[in-house]
Amino acid sequence: MQMMEKALAMPHYEFQGVYPDAGRLAILCSVSDKTLSSEGKAKLWARSEELYKKGEQIEPNKRYVYDSWATAYYWQGKYADAWAMLAKARKLGGETPKKFLAMLKAKMPQPLK
């Protein structure tokens, strides 16, 4: 994550897909680093959200942003938010990987429209 932050700080860093990748990395660091305090996790979660919003701003019609954001919400235990992001991805023609869909359904049934 430290290297990703250095890359994001570089001038003119608007490469497509980098913000959702960085957001997902922040979440994965928060759930895998067992030495993090609650405050440390909260900071990574907030950073992840910020990165996804930036990615959405740059590429509002890219399914990848919402698919990735859904997985980030899943790892945070925000299952309703994960479903909401999958709905956005599907509107853009997205097809959710079956394994992820099964994992999410096991935590929370798909909300009715």
Side-chain angles (χ1 to χ4, degrees), residues 2-106:
Q2 291 173 344
M3 294 305 292
M4 182 63 84
E5 290 293 353
K6 285 183 181 183
L8 291 170
M10 296 177 90
H12 308 292
Y13 205 80
E14 298 291 328
F15 298 123
Q16 295 183 352
V18 73
Y19 292 100
D21 288 347
R24 184 178 171 96
L25 183 60
I27 289 301
L28 292 176
C29 287
S30 78
V31 298
S32 65
D33 186 346
K34 304 301 181 202
T35 66
L36 278 178
S37 65
S38 296
E39 182 181 306
K41 282 186 180 191
K43 284 181 180 180
L44 283 172
W45 289 7
R47 181 64 174 142
S48 175
E49 189 72 11
E50 178 185 323
L51 291 162
Y52 277 112
K53 286 180 180 179
K54 178 73 171 179
E56 181 181 41
Q57 179 184 19
I58 292 169
E59 301 179 279
N61 297 315
K62 189 166 186 179
R63 187 187 90 223
Y64 178 75
V65 173
Y66 302 111
D67 281 335
S68 179
W69 210 340
T71 64
Y73 281 140
Y74 173 88
W75 291 114
Q76 293 175 73
K78 297 179 178 181
Y79 307 120
D81 291 332
W83 281 114
M85 288 300 152
L86 288 183
K88 286 184 176 188
R90 287 176 178 161
K91 284 182 182 177
L92 297 170
E95 186 174 324
T96 306
K98 291 178 189 205
K99 184 176 180 180
F100 178 67
L101 196 55
M103 290 169 52
L104 184 55
K105 284 180 178 179

